[in-house]
């Protein structure tokens, strides 16, 4: 049940190719005989590694440098970690990562007007346009993570002391963006862990009454990080439009895994996370908006040098110029064709999620805390009445559960957690879903818990 | 003279291994027979590719996805592009890139208190400590690019209308950070393209006289982006300390390629760029400071949820929580042992730079605009009196020059530029330096320019 040694061989082969690549990087336009020999020797080494891979034997672990170990989590195990599922790279993204590894790798053909989203080769300009369209918006920019997208919008709209309303299930990075801009955060209470347009209306009215002003921005999570519950975006959009307050949609758990059309949802800004849901390297993300708002949040620089008289062209203030100049944007771009397809298969992902939670709840005392039937693949569960009962008397305590999952090739749940915890089954194949579902039942039976 | 087809074979081999890796990622804990066969077939394909690489034949270009081409600039050519030299990845960084490809790849062992710089496996905590020490500072944080480091400091210190003094050779991202925070930028004039402590003193006095207040921050580039000239950091540090104004050192062209001890230089903040000078993927960088200032710029969150009562632990406001959660920080960390060594070899890099410019100036009419002898590897040159004379009558105009360089396996100078332009010879071997130097002389001779 352990693929590790094969994965180590695979990494060793990749590393050896990188060593060969280095010979080409440090040579003159033609390799000298010594360099030719070095390549030859490394190719011999590589062939031996491939033989051990083919035989199934595999290799010992090869370190990256000093004691830095490779990460084999996604290859050797089935990973149901709650925040990692949608950020697993596609093979295309991994190939882009290899090919565009170096620092400023996308800037070879950076021509006037010298801005990341205007670069034509690789086709970043086209990608930016497609990204806006994909989100049902007019303009999109890539940013170093969703949080930086919040920052762009909040810094553009919020002055010190201004109120921003957000969900009581909002991600902490929304709070930090408000704090960084000097704004005041007000939460909307949830009902059954869902926030609604009416909830937002009530909080808007309270703020109006208390401060005499309307909040300057509403933020809402499409699906929240805690339960993966779907929130009433359309309702909130309608209320916002009544009051004339712009809405920012946090799509960290939706953009890239399910269809999101921001204009149709009635929001003014949408933010997505590359490393959370767009199969991209960290830190990456997207912020997109309407033509109306683009001028403000993507405003170009107006500052100048008083001595030199320098101005800075069409660089955008909140972007601080360019954002993702290398592998990060390349992984977003390389994964994008797959991402566009996969959002269309969201229903199947939800089916798998529901299959899983149904099996999961067959263990007596195991409960799903998220709304059911599930409309998402991220779920919050409670095993206080099942696996935690075992943990109470097990010598490994809560770790027994992680141990048992790992024995079955499954990782991801917070190590030692047996009360409330989260998991995400996004992107697993049906075979993997059934395997994982079965593992929970098996562990329950092994420890004499009732299985219905 | 063309290594391209071999590089394409190398990439094809890497891609094939990634395809094999994908089989392991989508399988159960043991491969089924079909998957085993798939691995076998791909290994056969790989062996064929390796044969064609070994024979020197190489391969046709393989696309990453659709029409997305691999980048072969660093392998097939000698690259003297001005901003890319210090950001070329080490083999160790490329191996880390492969192994930690996925979105949140460094977060597997994120335990309480849940912050990037506290993660022990991979050893991000240790890396952060070493990074601070390496810069002669007390505290360091990784950020998505040097510009985000400027933003951290400027947003912490500058209120709307506050004056920040910077060099008339400052990088545009310093201006944008000031603009983003609502500050006012004042430039210090340079003398012979160098700024000095006395220059800063004069501008401080002017600001004091005009506004009645002192500027709140001084920014200065260690080596500037335009000439690669060294500026009077110690002098500026002394003047700053007389007035009690903090200094931010922009080390984008120094941190990671030459020794920088910020406290010894007398500055309060130092910012470095991962993708410019630390052999790391973009966007990455570092901001480091003293114990005294750390409390302010790395202040932890104080905001809370009014409904839920939530607080957000020790997340840092200006970082917006965590910053580089995957490949970016991993490349910084994997390159770090090499980076620590290479800064000690800076003298040799400067020797190579001077060798090059001396040869370069042998072409009559070619001039170096940067200070000489060179103290850096980035240089601004003027070929108006040499290659531009050829361009005037050549049917390819300025592009003839890029063509001729490319024929000799050299890329990097701005395509078509034959008047003033920049180059960077950082990291080239002596053989490559001589090859590049010779290429300029050869091209001059070919077009009947005088060579002294």
């Amino acid at each position: 049940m352990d693929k590790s040694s094969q994965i180590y061989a695979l990494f060793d082969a990749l590393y050896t190719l990188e060593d060969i690549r280095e010979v080409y990087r440090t040579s003159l336009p033609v390799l000298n005989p010594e360099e030719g020999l070095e390549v030859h020797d490394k190719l011999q080494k590589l062939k031996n590694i491939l033989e051990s891979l083919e035989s199934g034997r595999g290799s010992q672990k090869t370190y990256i440098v000093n004691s830095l170990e490779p990460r084999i989590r996604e290859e050797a195990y089935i990973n149901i970690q709650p925040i990692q599922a949608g950020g697993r790279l596609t093979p295309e993204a991994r190939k882009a990562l290899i090919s565009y590894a170096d620092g400023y790798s996308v800037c070879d053909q950076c021509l006037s007007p010298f801005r990341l989203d205007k670069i034509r080769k690789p086709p970043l300009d086209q990608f930016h346009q497609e990204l806006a369209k994909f989100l049902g918006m007019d303009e999109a920019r890539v940013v170093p993570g969703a949080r930086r997208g919040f920052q762009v919008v909040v810094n553009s709209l919020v002055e010190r002391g201004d109120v921003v309303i957000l969900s009581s299930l909002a991600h902490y990075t929304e709070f930090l963006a408000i704090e960084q801009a000097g704004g005041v955060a007000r939460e909307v209470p949830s009902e059954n862990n869902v926030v609604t347009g009416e909830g937002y209306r009530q909080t808007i009215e309270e703020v109006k009454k208390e401060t005499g002003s309307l909040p300057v921005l509403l933020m809402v999570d499409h699906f929240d990080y805690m339960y993966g519950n779907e929130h009433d975006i359309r309702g909130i959009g309608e209320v916002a439009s009544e009051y004339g307050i712009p809405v920012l949609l946090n799509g960290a758990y939706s953009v890239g895994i399910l269809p999101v059309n921001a204009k149709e949802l009635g929001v003014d800004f949408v933010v997505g996370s590359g490393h959370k849901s767009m199969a991209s390297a960290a830190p990456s993300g997207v912020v997109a908006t309407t033509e109306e708002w683009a001028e403000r949040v993507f405003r170009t620089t107006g500052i100048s040098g008083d001595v030199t008289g320098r101005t800075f062209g069409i660089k955008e203030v909140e972007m601080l110029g360019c954002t993702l100049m290398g592998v990060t944007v390349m992984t977003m771009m390389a994964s994008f064709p797959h991402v566009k397809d996969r959002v269309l298969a969201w229903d199947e992902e939800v089916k798998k999620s529901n299959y899983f939670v149904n099996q999961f709840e067959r263990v007596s005392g195991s409960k799903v805390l998220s709304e059911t039937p599930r409309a998402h693949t991220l779920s919050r569960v409670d095993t206080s009445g099942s696996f935690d009962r075992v943990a109470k008397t097990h010598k490994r305590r809560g770790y027994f559960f992680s141990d048992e999952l790992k024995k079955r090739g499954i990782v991801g749940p917070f190590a030692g957690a047996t009360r409330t915890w989260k998991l995400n089954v996004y992107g697993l194949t049906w075979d993997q879903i059934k395997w994982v579902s079965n593992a929970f039942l098996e562990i329950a039976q092994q420890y004499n818990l009732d299985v219905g």
Side-chain angles (χ1 to χ4, degrees), chain A:
Chain A
M1 294 262 274
D2 195 351
K3 298 190 280 190
S4 305
S5 58
Q6 289 162 60
I7 308 307
Y8 287 133
L10 196 57
F11 278 148
D12 203 6
L14 285 158
Y15 294 175
T16 306
L17 282 168
E18 285 295 348
D19 288 334
I20 294 173
R21 184 177 179 184
E22 189 65 11
V23 178
Y24 284 92
R25 286 181 159 226
T26 53
S27 69
L28 295 181
V30 174
L31 298 197
N32 67 32
E34 214 172 284
E35 290 159 344
L37 208 61
E38 197 180 341
V39 169
H40 174 82
D41 288 351
K42 288 191 195 307
L43 282 171
Q44 279 315 113
K45 180 188 167 192
L46 180 53
K47 283 178 199 166
N48 295 337
I49 298 168
L50 296 181
E51 244 169 61
S52 72
L53 177 59
E54 181 134 40
S55 73
R57 260 181 298 123
S59 305
Q60 297 287 310
K61 188 189 297 178
T62 303
Y63 292 87
I64 295 168
V65 58
N66 300 339
S67 60
L68 195 58
E69 296 181 27
R71 176 182 191 256
I72 60 166
R73 203 171 180 83
E74 300 292 353
E75 293 79 16
Y77 303 98
I78 298 173
N79 184 9
I80 57 172
Q81 207 277 354
I83 68 170
Q84 295 181 344
R88 267 192 286 264
L89 260 51
T90 59
E92 297 78 31
R94 296 199 304 275
K95 293 172 188 176
L97 205 59
I98 288 171
S99 325
Y100 285 80
D102 299 292
Y104 280 105
S105 61
V106 304
C107 306
D108 296 336
Q109 309 284 338
C110 181
L111 307 174
S112 176
F114 306 114
R115 208 172 70 191
L116 189 76
D117 59 307
K118 304 289 185 186
I119 292 174
R120 299 175 100 170
K121 194 182 170 188
L124 299 184
D125 58 344
Q126 190 191 328
F127 173 60
H128 276 81
Q129 286 163 30
E130 286 177 14
L131 204 47
K133 198 175 152 205
F134 173 68
L135 296 167
M137 283 291 191
D138 301 319
E139 290 280 339
R141 298 290 182 274
V142 294
V143 284
R147 60 196 76 200
R148 296 289 177 177
F150 306 149
Q151 186 181 30
V152 164
V153 176
V154 171
N155 268 332
S156 299
L157 268 60
V158 178
E159 293 290 326
R160 192 165 293 283
D162 284 346
V163 174
V164 178
I165 290 183
L166 76 183
S167 159
S168 55
L169 288 162
H171 193 251
Y172 82 89
T173 52
E174 296 170 45
F175 279 92
L176 289 193
I178 295 167
E179 183 172 11
Q180 198 266 314
V184 175
R186 288 291 300 266
E187 290 178 318
V188 174
S190 65
E191 279 178 66
N192 298 321
N193 299 318
V194 169
V195 290
T196 62
E198 284 314 303
Y200 272 72
R201 182 196 301 282
Q202 206 169 316
T203 307
I204 292 169
E205 285 296 335
E206 283 168 23
V207 168
K208 194 174 150 190
K209 204 169 150 191
E210 287 166 31
T211 69
S213 309
L214 287 174
V216 298
L217 177 67
L218 310 183
M219 296 173 92
V220 60
D221 306 67
H222 198 176
F223 289 81
D224 67 85
Y225 78 102
M226 181 61 93
Y227 296 95
N229 286 353
E230 184 170 10
H231 299 277
D232 176 26
I233 309 306
R234 284 173 204 275
I236 294 162
E238 279 165 24
V239 168
S241 112
E242 279 178 42
Y243 287 92
I245 309 170
V247 182
L248 182 155
L249 180 68
N250 176 359
Y253 282 102
S254 59
V255 169
I257 57 173
L258 58 97
V260 177
N261 187 306
K263 273 193 193 167
E264 274 180 21
L265 287 169
V267 302
D268 303 277
F269 308 102
V270 58
V271 168
S273 168
H275 50 270
K276 202 167 251 158
S277 297
M278 300 175 80
S280 302
S284 64
V286 58
V287 52
T289 187
T290 60
E291 215 175 316
E292 183 195 348
W293 285 103
E295 219 171 301
R296 186 146 165 204
V297 298
F298 302 148
R299 69 195 174 282
T300 55
T301 171
I303 203 168
S304 62
D306 62 319
V307 169
T308 57
R310 289 188 280 170
T311 54
F312 305 97
I314 60 159
K315 302 284 191 185
E316 291 166 342
V317 179
E318 293 294 342
M319 301 298 141
L320 298 172
C322 303
T323 51
L324 311 181
M325 311 84 160
V327 286
T328 39
V329 74
M330 284 307 297
T331 53
M332 290 184 84
M333 202 157 78
S335 280
F336 193 53
H338 174 76
V339 162
K340 279 192 289 188
D341 282 345
R342 80 184 193 178
V343 300
L344 303 177
W346 177 241
D347 285 351
E348 192 70 11
E349 294 294 326
V350 172
K351 250 186 228 165
K352 285 185 275 186
S353 178
N354 278 300
Y355 175 90
F356 170 77
V357 297
N358 288 336
Q359 294 299 309
F360 176 86
E361 289 200 308
R362 286 176 58 197
V363 176
S364 172
S366 284
K367 285 185 292 192
V368 174
L369 301 177
S370 304
E371 57 184 2
T372 49
R374 301 293 305 118
H376 203 276
T377 55
L378 167 71
S379 299
R380 187 168 179 82
V381 297
D382 184 346
T383 51
S384 303
S386 55
F387 301 111
D388 192 56
R389 281 173 45 213
V390 178
K392 280 200 166 66
T393 59
H394 198 285
K395 67 174 191 295
R396 290 273 296 152
R397 302 208 302 190
Y399 295 99
F400 98 90
F401 188 52
S402 327
D403 294 345
E404 292 292 350
L405 285 171
K406 198 164 185 178
K407 270 189 216 162
R408 291 164 176 83
I410 299 162
V411 293
F414 200 79
T418 43
R419 293 177 198 173
T420 59
W421 50 281
K422 298 190 288 182
L423 58 86
N424 197 336
V425 296
Y426 183 74
L428 301 191
T429 64
W430 270 111
D431 280 352
Q432 289 175 327
I433 283 281
K434 286 177 183 169
W435 179 275
V436 172
S437 301
N438 201 47
F440 283 88
L441 304 182
E442 253 186 46
I443 298 169
Q445 281 158 340
Q446 184 179 330
Y447 288 93
N448 300 313
L449 298 172
D450 288 339
V451 174

